[in-house]
Amino acid sequence: MFAEQKGGWILTGTSVAFVVAVYVPCVQRTVPGGDSGELITTACELGVAHPPGYPVFTLLARLSMYLLPWLSPAHSVNLMCSLLGAAACGCFTLTVCRLTGPGPGAVLAGGLFAVSRLSWQWSMVAEVFTLSNLFIGVLFFLTASFHCAENSWQRRKIAHWGAFCCGLGLCNQHTLVLYVLFIIPWVLYRLFALKELSFLGLVTLGLCFIAGFFPYIYLPISSYLNSARWSWGDQTTLSGLLTHLLRAEYGTFSLAKTETSVSLSSMLQAQLDHCLADLSPPVLVLAGIGLLFSLWDRTCCSVSWLLTAMLLVYSLFFAWRANLDISRPLLLGVVERFWLQSDAAVCVLAGLGLSHAHSKMERWLGHGGLWKTIGWVFTLALLGQMGRTNHRECDQSRNDVVERFGRELLASFPKDSLILTRGDLPGNSLRYLHYCQDIRPDIRLVDQEMMTYSWYVTKLGQHLPGVHFPGRRWDPVQSEEKDTFSLERFLSHNPRRDVFACIGLTDGDPSWERSFSRWPLGVCDYLVPLQRQFHPERWAERTRSLYNWSEPHNSFPPASWERVANEEMWQARMKTAFFLFDLAERTQGEGKARLFELSYTLYKEIVEAQSEYPPNWDKNLALACERLLRSAQRGYSPDHLLTCSVQHFSLYLEKEPTDPQAAAIRSAVSHLLKERDRLRQSRKQTP
C-alpha cells in the first residue's frame, strides 16, 4: 500500500510539473478582459471584490504581487492562477491514484482537465475559477482518501480536513455548495454506519466547517478601514455583509441582474455540445464505463455514484438558474466557465473508467500489461492531440489587446477629465491601469452602475477628490426621491471637469438632454453643455486619428473580450462621421449640405483605407452618398455619388443578406440604378 501511494505521489508530481511547463509560457502578461481587471484592482487596493467577495482569491492575488514584484500586477496574478490550475489537475490525478492506483487512468483524469479548452483558457488569466477548480480537486481527493481510509483515526482526520476545506471553498465560489451538499451527508452517513459518529465528533466537524469561513472576516475589515480606492459594497453592517454574501444585488444563485431566461433543455444541450466538442466522445464513453464497472468494484463504487449524483444535480441546477442569453457568443463564454465544475467530475469518472477497463481486460483476457500499455498509448495520444488543438487558442502570452484598449482610451482624454464608465470592458481595464499602474492619476473614474447603489457615494466618494455628488445615489428612473439625483444634476455639479461616458450611458435617465449634448470621442462620448458651440471641421480633425489601433477586423474568437474591444475600436473610427450625418438629418438651412459633405468625406476616407471592415460601414457610406446627392452640394458628380451608393449598398447586402431591411435596400438600389440610367441618358441627348 505504501509503495502504491508513493507511486501515486510521484505520478502526480510528474503530471503537475508537465502542466506547469505547458501553462506558464502561455500565461497572459497584461490585464485580461471580463472580471479580471476588477479582481486584480481589488487585490492591488485590498478592497472587496464583486459579490460574494472572493476573500481567499483577493488575499492570494495580493500575496502573488508581493512575491513577484518585478512582474506587473496583472502578470503576477495571471501566473498565480496558472499554478492553481496545475495544482487542481494534480488533485484529480491523485484522486484516481487513491481509488484505482497509479496508471494511465490517473494521468487521463488530470491531464484531460489540464488541456481541455475551458480549463486551459481560464488558467491563463486572473479569474476565480482556477481556485474553485483547486478546491473541487481537494474535495475529490479527500473524498477518495476518506473512502479508502484503513481505520477510524484516518477517517476522522480526513473528515475534519474535509469539513474545513468545504467551508474554505465556499469563500471562493458558491456553486461549490452543490457538491458540498452531497459530500457532507455522504461522510456523515459513512461515519454513522461504521458507528464512528458521536455528538462531540459532530460538533468538531461543524466547528471545522465554520472555521473554513474565517477569510470572510476580511470583508468587514476592509470595508471598515475604507482605504481602498476601489471596492464593492458596504460590509460594515450585518445586512450589508449578507447582501454581499448572498449576491442580492445580482440575484442570489443567478448569473446576472436580468429578466432573460433560457429553457432548461437548451442550456443542457449547450453543455452536452461542449462536452462532445471539448472533452471528446471517447472521454464520455470512458466516464460511462467508469460508472458501469464501479457496480462490481467495491473499492470505488460509492465514490463513482457520488460523483455522478453531484454532476447531474449541478448540471440541472445550473441550467435552471443560468439566466443569460447563450445565443450571444460573449454571454455563452460567461456561462461556459461554470461548466468547469461538472467537467472535473467527468474527467475523474473517465480516469476511473480507463483504469477499470484495462484492469478488467487483463483479468478477463490475460496478456499481462498489454492492456495497460494500450491505456497509456490512448492517454498520451488523446492528450497530445487535445494539447495541439487547443494550444493556439489558449496561448495568451502575446495577448495585450484589452490593456492596449484601456491605454488608448486613457491617452485620448484631456487633463483632469471625469470618466463615467459603463460595462466590464472599459470599467475594469481603466480601473486596473489607473489604480494599479498609476496611469493618468489626474483623471477620475466613476462607475455608472455602482453610482446607483446607496453605498457608492458614502464609501468611494472620499476617494474621488474634486468629484461632487448632489445626493447619496443616482436613480436613473426616480431621481426626484430623497437623497437621489439625476444625471443632469450630477453633470451640473461638476462643471470644471470634462466629462466622458464610456461606453454609452445607462438607459432610463434622459434628463441630461435638457442641458447637455453628446459629442463622439472615439469609443466614448463627450458630454458638453448645450450652449457650447460645435465646430464640425475642428471636431472631425480632432477625432480623425484618435487611436493607434492596427488589429485586423474579426481577428478574435466571437466569445472573447478581445473581440469586443477590437470591434469597439473599429466602430470608433466612424462615430464622428455617423454623428455628423445624424446632425445633418436634424439640421435645416445652409449648414445641412456642409455636414453631409463632411460626413461623406470621413466615411469615404475610412472605408478606402481598409480592405476588411465592418459591414455597416458600407451601408453608412451608401447613405452618405445618397444624402450628399440630394443636398445638391456643388463639386461632386451626381453619377459618381449614385455609383458609390449602389456599390456600397450592394456590398452591404452581400455581407448581411439577412438584414431585416434587405428588401427596402434592394428597392433603393433599383431606384438609384434607374436614376443613374436617366442621368446618363440625358447626358447623351445633351449636345
Side-chain angles (χ1 to χ4, degrees):
M1 178 63 71
F2 175 77
E4 187 175 272
Q5 288 187 2
K6 182 179 179 181
W9 283 105
I10 293 174
L11 184 63
T12 299
T14 304
S15 300
V16 170
F18 177 79
V19 175
V20 168
V22 172
Y23 274 6
V24 169
C26 298
V27 167
Q28 187 164 337
R29 271 65 168 167
T30 58
V31 63
D35 293 333
S36 299
E38 186 234 342
L39 292 169
I40 300 169
T41 304
T42 301
C44 283
E45 293 290 309
L46 282 178
V48 176
H50 67 273
Y54 307 106
V56 178
F57 183 91
T58 300
L59 295 172
L60 287 175
R62 180 68 176 192
L63 178 63
S64 72
M65 296 177 195
Y66 176 77
L67 295 176
L68 302 169
W70 60 89
L71 300 179
S72 69
H75 191 183
S76 62
V77 181
N78 294 340
L79 181 61
M80 176 199 78
C81 288
S82 72
L83 299 179
L84 293 176
C89 298
C91 288
F92 299 136
T93 300
L94 201 56
T95 298
V96 178
C97 285
R98 187 55 53 92
L99 291 171
T100 61
V107 173
L108 178 67
L112 175 65
F113 191 80
V115 298
S116 64
R117 179 183 61 85
L118 280 186
S119 177
W120 193 345
Q121 176 182 340
W122 292 106
S123 295
M124 299 298 98
V125 297
E127 265 291 1
V128 298
F129 295 95
T130 50
L131 183 57
S132 179
N133 295 338
L134 178 58
F135 281 124
I136 292 168
V138 169
L139 290 180
F140 282 5
F141 169 66
L142 291 174
T143 299
S145 299
F146 177 86
H147 178 73
C148 298
E150 298 176 348
N151 53 58
S152 60
W153 180 83
Q154 288 184 351
R155 280 188 288 271
R156 284 196 300 270
K157 182 179 73 171
I158 295 169
H160 283 81
W161 275 110
F164 175 76
C165 289
C166 284
L168 192 63
L170 290 173
C171 288
N172 185 62
Q173 190 77 301
H174 284 181
T175 54
L176 188 66
V177 71
L178 295 171
Y179 282 7
V180 170
L181 289 176
F182 279 86
I183 292 173
I184 289 179
W186 179 80
V187 169
L188 294 178
Y189 172 76
R190 292 292 302 273
L191 291 173
F192 177 78
L194 294 169
K195 298 181 179 180
E196 296 173 3
L197 183 64
S198 64
F199 176 76
L200 180 61
L202 194 60
V203 170
T204 57
L205 287 171
L207 291 174
C208 287
F209 179 69
I210 294 172
F213 288 93
F214 182 75
Y216 266 128
I217 199 173
Y218 165 81
L219 271 60
I221 291 174
S222 174
S223 186
Y224 174 77
L225 295 175
N226 199 27
S227 60
R229 292 174 295 174
W230 168 254
S231 189
W232 187 309
D234 181 2
Q235 295 82 36
T236 56
T237 64
L238 180 60
S239 61
L241 179 63
L242 291 177
T243 295
H244 206 74
L245 295 184
L246 298 177
R247 302 177 79 252
E249 292 166 333
Y250 284 163
T252 303
F253 282 116
S254 295
L255 288 186
K257 186 170 58 177
T258 175
E259 300 298 324
T260 303
S261 61
V262 181
S263 69
L264 184 70
S265 59
S266 298
M267 192 63 71
L268 290 174
Q269 182 62 52
Q271 184 178 355
L272 178 60
D273 293 341
H274 148 71
C275 289
L276 290 170
D278 294 340
L279 298 181
S280 78
V283 168
L284 300 185
V285 171
L286 283 174
I289 291 174
L291 181 61
L292 182 64
F293 281 167
S294 67
L295 294 173
W296 291 279
D297 190 345
R298 295 185 60 186
T299 60
C300 60
C301 176
S302 62
V303 175
S304 297
W305 283 99
L306 177 66
L307 292 173
T308 304
M310 292 191 296
L311 167 64
L312 294 176
V313 170
Y314 175 81
S315 298
L316 287 169
F317 184 87
F318 181 76
W320 171 49
R321 296 302 300 171
N323 59 334
L324 290 178
D325 181 9
I326 58 175
S327 64
R328 297 171 57 185
L330 183 65
L331 297 184
L332 175 61
V334 172
V335 168
E336 64 181 7
R337 302 174 302 174
F338 292 87
W339 293 336
L340 284 166
Q341 187 163 328
S342 52
D343 284 357
V346 172
C347 290
V348 171
L349 286 172
L352 293 174
L354 182 60
S355 296
H356 284 306
H358 71 68
S359 62
K360 296 293 184 185
M361 296 302 286
E362 288 179 6
R363 187 179 307 168
W364 294 341
L365 302 177
H367 300 291
L370 172 64
W371 301 107
K372 192 170 187 176
T373 302
I374 293 175
W376 277 114
V377 171
F378 169 80
T379 297
L380 297 178
L382 179 63
L383 297 184
Q385 186 272 331
M386 289 182 65
R388 186 171 61 254
T389 300
N390 295 328
H391 180 269
R392 182 175 182 180
E393 181 177 350
C394 296
D395 183 2
Q396 300 296 309
S397 58
R398 298 181 180 179
N399 183 0
D400 62 350
V401 172
V402 171
E403 180 160 317
R404 283 194 292 113
F405 172 87
R407 287 180 181 272
E408 291 291 335
L409 261 61
L410 288 175
S412 69
F413 300 129
K415 183 176 174 59
D416 296 325
S417 295
L418 171 57
I419 317 301
L420 301 177
T421 61
R422 177 172 175 257
D424 287 343
L425 178 61
N428 293 337
S429 61
L430 296 185
R431 268 191 288 272
Y432 167 76
L433 293 168
H434 180 62
Y435 293 123
C436 297
Q437 300 280 54
D438 200 30
I439 296 175
R440 293 299 304 271
D442 58 294
I443 69 166
R444 299 292 179 263
L445 298 176
V446 175
D447 190 285
Q448 294 183 46
E449 180 186 358
M450 300 300 99
M451 196 162 51
T452 64
Y453 294 135
S454 59
W455 50 263
Y456 184 79
V457 175
T458 303
K459 302 298 290 186
L460 297 185
Q462 69 185 59
H463 300 299
L464 296 166
V467 180
H468 304 285
F469 297 93
R472 290 189 59 191
R473 68 183 181 91
W474 172 35
D475 191 329
V477 180
Q478 297 177 333
S479 57
E480 302 303 322
E481 290 189 0
K482 184 180 179 181
D483 294 330
T484 64
F485 56 88
S486 66
L487 183 57
E488 180 187 24
R489 287 183 62 202
F490 176 79
L491 295 174
S492 299
H493 276 70
N494 293 276
R496 297 183 179 180
R497 290 182 179 269
D498 293 313
V499 182
F500 298 87
C502 302
I503 301 172
L505 288 168
T506 300
D507 296 332
D509 185 358
S511 64
W512 63 273
E513 296 176 359
R514 294 193 294 262
S515 306
F516 295 85
S517 58
R518 186 161 64 174
W519 301 352
L521 186 77
V523 169
C524 306
D525 293 302
Y526 186 21
L527 302 174
V528 297
L530 284 175
Q531 60 268 26
R532 186 176 300 181
Q533 187 176 1
F534 178 67
H535 300 281
E537 288 81 5
R538 293 182 193 173
W539 197 254
E541 187 60 32
R542 179 178 176 183
T543 59
R544 179 174 265 112
S545 301
L546 191 63
Y547 303 131
N548 179 22
W549 194 261
S550 57
E551 295 291 341
H553 186 245
N554 283 343
S555 54
F556 300 99
S560 68
W561 283 103
E562 289 75 18
R563 177 68 164 259
V564 178
N566 193 38
E567 185 67 20
E568 288 291 342
M569 281 299 193
W570 273 82
Q571 295 296 350
R573 291 171 174 166
M574 50 75 67
K575 281 184 68 175
T576 297
F578 182 85
F579 175 76
L580 294 173
F581 181 91
D582 185 63
L583 186 61
E585 294 275 69
R586 294 182 280 111
T587 299
Q588 300 297 327
E590 59 184 26
K592 189 181 188 76
R594 183 169 63 96
L595 290 171
F596 276 132
E597 179 184 12
L598 187 54
S599 174
Y600 163 77
T601 302
L602 292 176
Y603 273 132
K604 193 170 187 297
E605 181 181 296
I606 62 172
V607 168
E608 290 181 350
Q610 309 293 334
S611 57
E612 294 290 334
Y613 48 83
N616 66 308
W617 287 16
D618 283 311
K619 182 180 180 181
N620 292 345
L621 177 55
L623 287 170
C625 292
E626 192 271 340
R627 292 297 194 277
L628 183 60
L629 174 69
R630 306 304 175 206
S631 69
Q633 182 76 344
R634 296 180 180 179
Y636 293 91
S637 164
D639 187 285
H640 171 76
L641 292 176
L642 286 167
T643 301
C644 176
S645 186
V646 168
Q647 175 189 352
H648 287 282
F649 268 140
S650 301
L651 285 173
Y652 175 74
L653 289 174
E654 289 177 12
K655 298 174 184 177
E656 296 288 340
T658 59
D659 187 301
Q661 296 180 325
I665 294 173
R666 291 190 185 94
S667 176
V669 168
S670 176
H671 176 76
L672 291 170
L673 286 171
K674 291 178 182 177
E675 186 174 353
R676 189 182 65 177
D677 290 342
R678 286 196 299 269
L679 177 65
R680 292 177 176 177
Q681 189 66 30
S682 65
R683 284 179 177 175
K684 291 179 180 179
Q685 295 175 356
T686 302

